[in-house]
Amino acid sequence: MNEKSYFKQAVANNFNQTITNVNYRKRAIQSFKDEYLLDFINIKDIDEIDERVIENQIIQNIKKFIMALGSNFSFLGNQYRLIVDEQEYFIDLLFFNRHLQALVAIELKRGEFKPEYAGKLNFYLSALDEYVRLPHENPSIGIILCKSQRSKTVEFAFRDTSKPMGVATYKLANELPKDYEGILPRADELKKLLEEENND
């Protein structure tokens, strides 16, 4: 599979407003997908669990997650600790992208994107650039990985932020594509039918 086949469309982002270097901006846009298939996460009801459960599943399958992200990502850690004004803060997942020569912070959210997520990520990116980024590296980039998003909400949340950020969604393997909804039974319905047959 070639590199271009990974990308359906660009991740919702503010890169045009926050990245002045044209080449770096172009590479940043090409480095992230708008949706990631996390088919290695084996969770029955994603809406009922905490983000930490998703994070633990990703950590247990870090090689598969890096392959889902695309090439050139190196894993630096989860719950990556930052200290600002003697207070501890923790970034869900931290990567380094060799192609971008930049730190990439990923914040995991189980539900729909909320505007307050942008402020928190902007803070993390400022701290990374101040305390962690090396002089030869490009400014850090942040990605909020959530279940769903609304484009206008993302646009307004990012409009006046100073750091490059994007919002991508994830899909699990047990989710039925919208085109097949109503045609095929849902996973829970199929499981119930199979259980009934086994009991007969």
Side-chain angles (χ1 to χ4, degrees):
M1 183 181 289
N2 67 34
E3 188 78 14
K4 289 182 181 173
S5 66
Y6 276 105
F7 305 105
K8 293 192 325 190
Q9 63 185 55
V11 63
N13 65 76
N14 65 354
F15 298 166
N16 285 331
Q17 294 77 33
T18 56
I19 302 176
T20 55
N21 181 295
V22 176
N23 289 331
Y24 180 45
R25 183 187 318 134
K26 185 178 176 183
R27 287 196 315 266
I29 289 169
Q30 292 173 343
S31 293
F32 303 101
K33 295 181 271 187
D34 69 324
E35 185 175 75
Y36 294 90
L37 176 60
L38 305 183
D39 56 354
F40 54 84
I41 292 182
N42 190 13
I43 298 171
K44 289 184 180 176
D45 192 352
I46 196 77
D47 297 323
E48 298 291 320
I49 53 108
D50 186 85
E51 284 102 4
R52 195 61 68 91
V53 176
I54 300 170
E55 180 185 324
N56 287 338
Q57 284 284 311
I58 287 173
I59 297 307
Q60 289 173 14
N61 295 278
I62 195 65
K63 182 177 178 182
K64 291 177 183 174
F65 184 67
I66 289 172
M67 292 183 76
L69 283 177
S71 61
N72 294 309
F73 284 90
S74 299
F75 180 58
L76 298 183
N78 68 305
Q79 293 303 305
Y80 190 90
R81 184 171 169 255
L82 295 169
I83 298 179
V84 179
D85 286 334
E86 299 178 14
Q87 293 287 319
E88 289 184 317
Y89 299 92
F90 298 91
I91 298 171
D92 288 342
L93 300 168
L94 186 63
F95 294 87
F96 185 79
N97 185 288
R98 291 179 60 227
H99 184 64
L100 295 173
Q101 284 294 294
L103 295 164
V104 176
I106 295 181
E107 281 295 294
L108 300 168
K109 302 297 174 189
R110 70 175 182 185
E112 188 172 55
F113 172 82
K114 294 180 183 174
E116 54 264 32
Y117 299 160
K120 183 178 180 184
L121 186 56
N122 195 68
F123 172 82
Y124 287 163
L125 295 174
S126 294
L128 282 172
D129 285 345
E130 180 77 18
Y131 299 129
V132 181
R133 178 173 68 114
L134 297 177
H136 70 280
E137 294 172 353
N138 286 311
S140 304
I141 292 177
I143 299 293
I144 298 164
L145 192 56
C146 53
K147 192 74 176 67
S148 62
Q149 60 165 307
R150 295 174 193 251
S151 59
K152 210 55 164 171
T153 304
V154 172
E155 180 188 333
F156 287 166
F158 285 176
R159 183 171 285 180
D160 297 317
T161 56
S162 62
K163 298 296 181 184
M165 290 186 273
V167 175
T169 57
Y170 59 84
K171 185 168 64 174
L172 306 181
N174 61 358
E175 295 174 4
L176 196 61
K178 287 191 193 291
D179 296 346
Y180 294 98
E181 286 178 5
I183 298 169
L184 298 173
R186 293 191 327 264
D188 58 339
E189 292 172 344
L190 194 57
K191 183 179 177 183
K192 187 177 177 182
L193 286 170
L194 290 171
E195 287 172 354
E196 287 173 1
E197 278 186 27
N198 289 338
N199 290 336
D200 288 344

